[in-house]
Amino acid sequence: MMKGFVTGLFLGVALVWAGAASADEAGTIRLGAAVSLTGKYSSNGAFTRNGYDLAVKRINEEGGVTVAGKTYKLEVVYYDDESTPARGAQLVERLIQQDGVKYLLGPYSSGLTEAIAPVTEKYGVPMVEANGAAVSLFRKGYRYLFAVLSTTDQYLRGAVELAANVNEDPSKLRVAMAFENDPFSQDVREGVMEDAAKFGMKIVIDDKLPPELNDMSATLSKAKVLKPDLLLVSGHDKGAALVVRQLADQRVDVPMLAITHCDSAQIAEKFGKIAEYTLCAAQWASTLKYSDALFGSAADYATLYEETYGHAAPYQAAESSAAVQVFADAFERAGSLEPDAVRDALAETDIKTFYGPVKFDETGKNMSKPTVLFQVQDGKYVVVYPQAFAEAEVRWPTPSWSAR
């Protein structure tokens, strides 16, 4: 923890970093965040908070931010949204109306971001978010919403392209899909559908997974009969763990499996050999050749994160750290702490970070950074797509269970 910061739990819902005075009085800029500390998104919520905290710590260690000749430190006011959209919206209202927070960091998940964006928009409070990638968020004309990550429709497009590239006739490929019925996963599906149609692939399974996902046997039983060439799954970290485990349990052979949330579900670490060959959509990898003055290279960030938190850096943490960096850059360029001035500076952002380039289009999307695909190879997450970032060739097809 940073020197001078105090943490406490208030009524089981609020985790607040010390410092209730305004920025002008205390030389401190307070950012607010409602994140999932409990509930189904708690693991990813923890990664989100870790990323925010690590960036705040580094920025403060380097002297803070300078606005119109005055130096400020950063603090974050946290509340637990309990992985519930309605609770998230309520807490953001509280942050703005009761706590006087003028700048928001986003929650974890597209669903919660979708719930709180109307609140920040209503009050004209700039929000830089790092974990709400649903493309639908950027079709609503929000002026105060900015996202450092690539949109969800990009997540599994690379898997469709890889499948097309390794097969002589992509139009003969049969695709199975199982996506959670939430904004994030349904937008992932949208991107897959577009690219599958482009290559003339046939969709043979198109299942919606329930939010409280505990079993994928129905989808996998269909896959065992229909024998798709490519199976695509998005159900956050719970869905990632389920499909890897149950494919092995049911001995379902699929030449190519691509899923979201591999790293947060820790499929390679938890499932060992049965996770081999799995393709994993990701926003960031520590092997990418990105760097900045605050954290150094992507690899340097990964090392610092692991030293600080005791586990490998997931992309959810990396993108969260980048969101804080974007705010710090905007504060300095705005030359003012007025929310509208900060909002206008955010709209003009064009920076390079350890996480990748950040430049927003008119809708608030980051239009500069690609997504990547890992593949689990020999127990490690290895980038195999896009080609410009690839560390190794994709291993395909996945051997049958009887041959593994």
Side-chain angles (χ1 to χ4, degrees):
M1 294 293 182
M2 289 175 285
K3 184 178 179 181
F5 279 61
V6 181
T7 59
L9 197 62
F10 294 86
L11 303 178
V13 299
L15 183 63
V16 182
W17 292 58
S22 72
D24 288 335
E25 292 170 342
T28 299
I29 299 171
R30 292 188 305 144
L31 306 169
V35 296
S36 301
L37 306 180
T38 59
K40 72 173 185 175
Y41 295 143
S42 59
S43 60
N44 285 300
F47 297 148
T48 301
R49 194 185 82 181
N50 289 349
Y52 291 155
D53 290 350
L54 193 58
V56 167
K57 181 176 186 294
R58 286 291 298 128
I59 289 167
N60 288 344
E61 287 173 347
E62 292 299 307
V65 298
T66 302
V67 183
K70 183 174 180 179
T71 299
Y72 296 86
K73 296 295 179 71
L74 300 181
E75 291 180 349
V76 183
V77 181
Y78 288 107
Y79 287 107
D80 177 13
D81 62 31
E82 303 167 25
S83 303
T84 306
R87 184 62 173 152
Q90 179 186 50
L91 291 171
V92 166
E93 185 104 20
R94 176 176 175 174
L95 282 163
I96 296 168
Q97 289 288 83
Q98 296 184 30
D99 298 326
V101 169
K102 297 179 180 179
Y103 325 100
L104 264 291
L105 294 163
Y108 174 76
S109 89
S110 295
L112 274 94
T113 305
E114 187 173 56
I116 72 174
V119 182
T120 56
E121 198 72 14
K122 171 184 173 182
Y123 291 107
V125 171
M127 176 167 64
V128 179
E129 59 101 350
N131 292 279
V135 70
S136 56
L137 287 165
F138 309 97
R139 295 172 174 167
K140 298 182 179 180
Y142 293 134
R143 294 187 68 250
Y144 292 87
L145 174 67
F146 300 91
V148 301
L149 72 175
S150 305
T151 50
T152 36
D153 59 310
Q154 302 298 317
Y155 270 61
L156 290 176
R157 286 181 187 266
V160 177
E161 184 173 330
L162 275 178
N165 290 344
V166 297
N167 285 274
E168 291 184 3
D169 187 354
S171 67
K172 293 182 178 179
L173 295 181
R174 296 154 56 83
V175 180
M177 306 186 303
F179 295 107
E180 185 174 334
N181 193 19
D182 71 340
F184 172 88
S185 296
Q186 288 303 302
D187 281 350
V188 177
R189 177 186 177 277
E190 179 182 317
V192 167
M193 292 292 287
E194 288 179 3
D195 277 17
K198 180 178 71 175
F199 290 111
M201 299 176 184
K202 183 179 181 181
I203 307 297
V204 295
I205 299 172
D206 185 6
D207 286 353
K208 284 186 177 180
L209 302 173
E212 297 305 324
L213 180 60
N214 295 303
D215 184 32
M216 288 187 60
S217 296
T219 295
L220 299 183
S221 294
K222 285 188 279 187
K224 199 163 191 174
V225 173
L226 295 171
K227 301 186 185 306
D229 302 286
L230 173 62
L231 173 60
L232 302 164
V233 177
S234 179
H236 296 271
D237 48 349
K238 198 169 187 180
L242 268 174
V243 70
V244 170
R245 177 170 55 80
Q246 292 192 319
L247 274 173
D249 289 347
Q250 297 185 32
R251 313 300 278 182
V252 181
D253 292 324
V254 180
M256 184 177 285
L257 168 68
I259 63 180
T260 64
H261 296 84
C262 287
D263 50 354
S264 60
Q266 298 182 309
I267 64 164
E269 297 88 339
K270 291 182 178 179
F271 298 108
K273 290 183 178 180
I274 68 171
E276 287 290 310
Y277 302 95
T278 304
L279 291 167
C280 308
Q283 289 278 352
W284 174 83
S286 62
T287 55
L288 299 179
K289 304 304 180 185
Y290 298 136
S291 64
D292 61 41
L294 183 68
F295 284 111
S297 67
D300 291 335
Y301 175 89
T303 298
L304 177 62
Y305 182 94
E306 187 162 359
E307 289 174 349
T308 304
Y309 297 108
H311 60 261
Y315 73 78
Q316 290 87 351
E319 59 199 12
S320 299
S321 291
V324 178
Q325 289 181 274
V326 166
F327 252 134
D329 171 72
F331 290 141
E332 295 198 335
R333 286 186 295 102
S336 167
L337 292 178
E338 286 301 313
D340 279 343
V342 174
R343 180 262 163 215
D344 291 345
L346 286 169
E348 298 298 320
T349 296
D350 186 2
I351 63 173
K352 307 294 184 184
T353 75
F354 78 94
Y355 169 70
V358 180
K359 184 176 183 178
F360 302 118
D361 69 7
E362 66 278 2
T363 71
K365 297 195 303 289
N366 183 3
M367 57 187 180
S368 297
K369 188 194 71 63
T371 55
V372 300
L373 282 176
F374 297 112
Q375 186 175 46
V376 181
Q377 297 185 356
D378 303 321
K380 297 179 180 179
Y381 300 103
V382 179
V383 177
V384 295
Y385 176 91
Q387 188 60 44
F389 298 115
E391 303 170 81
E393 293 291 324
V394 64
R395 293 180 180 176
W396 174 90
T398 300
S400 66
W401 289 107
S402 61
R404 293 173 71 171

